[in-house]
């Protein structure tokens, strides 16, 4: 099988990451330490995961926008070093690179606030420029998140339907009032975590059974597969055949930032290589379990050689 191409359409942020003992409560002032400026953004993190985990060089590309500033440069260098084609990442004059302010607690959990900056320049007009259209048409798998304007995601969905590529939407951050119903039938996979699934459906998503039930609602709306990540409990895949829970891998987490991004990128790579969804989930669980043992977003994403794959 020819190596299949993956295109990530999404966000790039500089992560201003601070370690704290506990996440701050409302109205509370706390002390933090170890402030770092690191490459992040859900789109770029997923692109880095695809680039580092793919065994086929030259098959991963990203479409997005940064500012014409040092943080934008830092992103382009990081992506290139991770085997991602950056020709469709535009450096925008007069708009800063997107930013995320991240608190990471001593237990590894986090709180994130994003400031869109140049990510808002990923418009439907940009998507319809000839070079963008070429990249979209060339892609076998397209991976998107929710940190660029939503109308741009819709434009990509329509173009992807014409070119027949596999479309994966990681609905993060999940919109408070869910997604318009007509979106679901355009997607091959939607990959929320349990909190995002609860927001999309308005249903409780605490137990594996509840997650399966809520996922079925989205399958009835037309999405082919709902793949819910549930931390070290693994993942739940629901489609017309029913719901299956794939157990996860326990890891001693120090920072869960970008664990979901690592999972999504790894899953896309495994699909591109023709693995079954079950094997692709096992591959993605292994990658995500490594990422939580390291600090930072892109800094935590493993390379293929670290994955200890079954022979
Ligand atoms: O998923 C983690 C990412 O969310 C961070 O890198 C941050 O930039 C935000 O986009």
């Amino acid at each position: 099988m020819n190596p299949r191409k993956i295109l990530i359409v999404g966000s790039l942020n500089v992560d201003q990451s601070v370690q704290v003992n506990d996440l701050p409560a409302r109205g509370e002032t706390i002390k933090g330490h170890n402030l770092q400026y690191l490459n992040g953004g859900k789109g770029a993190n997923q692109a880095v995961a695809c680039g580092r985990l793919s065994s086929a060089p030259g098959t991963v590309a990203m479409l997005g926008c940064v500012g014409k500033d040092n943080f934008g440069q830092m992103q382009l260098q990081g992506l290139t070093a991770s085997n991602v084609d950056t020709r469709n990442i535009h450096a925008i004059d007069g708009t800063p690179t997107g930013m995320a302010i991240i608190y990471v607690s001593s237990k590894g959990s986090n709180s994130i606030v994003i400031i869109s900056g140049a990510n808002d320049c990923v418009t439907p007009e940009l998507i319809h420029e000839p070079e963008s259209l070429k990249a979209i048409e060339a892609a076998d798998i397209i991976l998107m998140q929710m940190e660029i304007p939503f109308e741009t995601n819709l434009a990509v969905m329509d173009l992807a339907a014409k070119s027949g590529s596999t479309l994966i939407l990681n609905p993060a951050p999940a919109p408070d009032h869910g997604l318009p119903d007509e979106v679901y039938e355009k997607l091959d996979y939607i990959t929320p975590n349990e909190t995002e699934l609860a927001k999309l459906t308005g249903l409780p998503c605490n137990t594996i059974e509840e997650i399966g039930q809520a996922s079925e609602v989205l399958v009835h709306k037309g999405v082919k597969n709902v793949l819910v990540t549930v931390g070290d409990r693994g993942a739940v895949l629901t489609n017309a055949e029913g719901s299956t829970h794939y157990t996860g891998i326990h890891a001693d987490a120090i920072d869960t930032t970008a664990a979901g991004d690592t999972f999504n990128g790894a899953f896309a790579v495994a699909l591109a290589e023709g693995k079954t969804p079950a094997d692709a989930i096992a591959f993605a669980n292994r990658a995500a379990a490594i990422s939580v043992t390291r600090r930072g977003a892109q800094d935590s994403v493993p390379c293929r050689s670290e994955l200890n794959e079954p022979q």
Side-chain angles (χ1 to χ4, degrees), residues 141-146 150 152-161 164-172 175 178-192 200 218-227 237-240 264 267 271:
I141 297 178
I142 298 180
L143 183 53
M144 294 186 298
Q145 319 73 33
M146 299 286 290
F150 186 60
T152 307
N153 280 348
L154 291 177
V156 175
M157 287 175 201
D158 289 339
L159 290 166
S165 46
T166 298
L167 205 48
I168 306 173
L169 176 66
N170 173 222
L179 290 168
D181 277 355
E182 64 269 21
V183 164
Y184 290 102
E185 63 186 24
K186 301 180 193 224
L187 302 174
D188 294 287
Y189 286 90
I190 191 164
T191 60
L200 294 178
L218 301 188
V219 171
H220 284 131
K221 289 189 179 188
V223 58
K224 293 189 190 70
N225 297 281
V226 182
L227 175 56
L237 177 66
T238 305
N239 52 33
N264 274 274
F267 183 72
L271 284 189

Side-chain angles (χ1 to χ4, degrees), residues 11 15 39-50 257-258 261-262 297-298 301:
S11 59
D15 288 353
N39 284 337
K42 294 185 195 303
N45 298 344
Q46 293 179 18
V48 163
C50 290
T257 310
D261 298 330
T262 303
Q298 291 167 31
V301 176

Side-chain angles (χ1 to χ4, degrees), residues 11-15 38-43 45-46 99-102 110 112-114 147 170 172-173 256-261 296-298:
S11 59
L12 305 99
N13 296 329
V14 52
D15 288 353
L38 301 167
N39 284 337
K42 294 185 195 303
N45 298 344
Q46 293 179 18
M99 179 171 275
I101 296 164
I102 306 185
N110 61 41
I112 305 182
V113 176
I114 55 170
E147 291 184 335
N170 173 222
T256 54
T257 310
D261 298 330
Q298 291 167 31

Side-chain angles (χ1 to χ4, degrees), residues 22 63 201 233 303:
D22 292 307
L63 197 163
T201 59
R233 287 188 292 166
C303 298

